[in-house]
Amino acid sequence: MIVVETREQLATARAAASGTVAVVMTMGALHDGHAELLRTARAEADTLLLTIFVNPLQFAPGEDLDRYPRTLEADLAVARAAGVDIAFTPTQDVMYPQGVPTVRVDPGPAGNELEGASRPGFFHGVLTVVNKLFQLTRPHVAYFGEKDYQQLGMIRAMVRDFDLPIDVRGVPTVREPDGLALSSRNRYLAPAERQSALVLSRALRKAASDTEDPVAAGIAEYATEPEVKLDYFVLTDPMLGPAPAHGPARLLTAAWVGGTRLIDNIEVQLP
């Protein structure tokens, strides 16, 4: 595995890459969910490129930018085990050499819903850094986790609307045996909070099994964990539009568990 830190080093390594090039973009603190992304990409591409960069643009004032876990050596060990060919680990100065960018990708009205409503400016930051990394890595295919389902949809929309020649593929959410969706932020949870956090996946399952009012059933499940503060619990179509009367749909939720904000979602089939 080649580890590169500068644009010039990346350009040299990318120029030497052959065949289909896949990219997996992360903010580090890699867990089994990231490893599954890498394994999936490794099986389908000739060259596998991993990026590790904690992007300040997607953190609002008061969010957890400073305490976001940075575990580069452990991350590189995960990357090597997964068969990564090139690991790009830029600093903030490498990614934003002119400082905070004055031009950013506008996510449109959808960027103000759900995560965008709770975290203003979040998708401006996400799409800007993803677009920059697409330009630098020039992949044929990119893999993103379905746990960040709205983010996956926004990236697909950007690729479509900007005519980028990249195939964006989603990889299903990886969970702990008890149902908790894997997240780098799970390490913030105290033992009691981690137990309370199970309400996210439990509420999604409860809603998915309710044929009368799935959203009401999910919200009612949250009431069993008074220490958890619900942010949103919604039912949409697979493209995050209005909920359909029947057929494929998506349940999405976000909640605060202590000082940690977690998200989750599942696919459902409405009868």
Side-chain angles (χ1 to χ4, degrees), residues 149 203-210 214 233-238 243-244 246-252 265-271:
Y149 191 78
L204 290 170
R205 293 195 304 270
K206 182 80 71 173
S209 65
D210 191 292
F233 193 96
V234 298
L235 177 69
T236 73
D237 72 9
H246 57 82
R250 205 87 190 183
L251 283 163
L252 303 99
N265 71 89
I266 59 171
E267 181 182 10
V268 293
Q269 189 76 21
L270 301 178

Side-chain angles (χ1 to χ4, degrees), residues 20 22 35-48 82-83 143 169:
T20 300
E36 181 63 17
L37 287 172
L38 295 172
R39 286 190 291 266
T40 302
R42 177 73 282 171
E44 298 177 358
D46 299 302
T47 299
L48 175 55
Y143 294 81
R169 301 180 186 176

Side-chain angles (χ1 to χ4, degrees), residues 26-35 64 67-75 78 147 176 180-194 197 257 259-262:
T26 77
M27 292 205 302
L30 302 188
H31 49 64
D32 284 346
H34 297 111
D64 58 345
R67 72 167 182 149
Y68 194 87
R70 292 160 172 84
T71 57
L72 182 58
E73 290 307 314
D75 295 341
V78 173
K147 186 184 78 69
E176 298 280 5
L180 183 67
L182 294 185
S183 168
S184 298
R185 288 183 168 92
N186 287 351
R187 65 187 67 198
Y188 297 160
L189 299 171
E193 291 173 337
R194 193 204 173 284
V257 184
T260 303
R261 188 175 181 278
L262 301 176

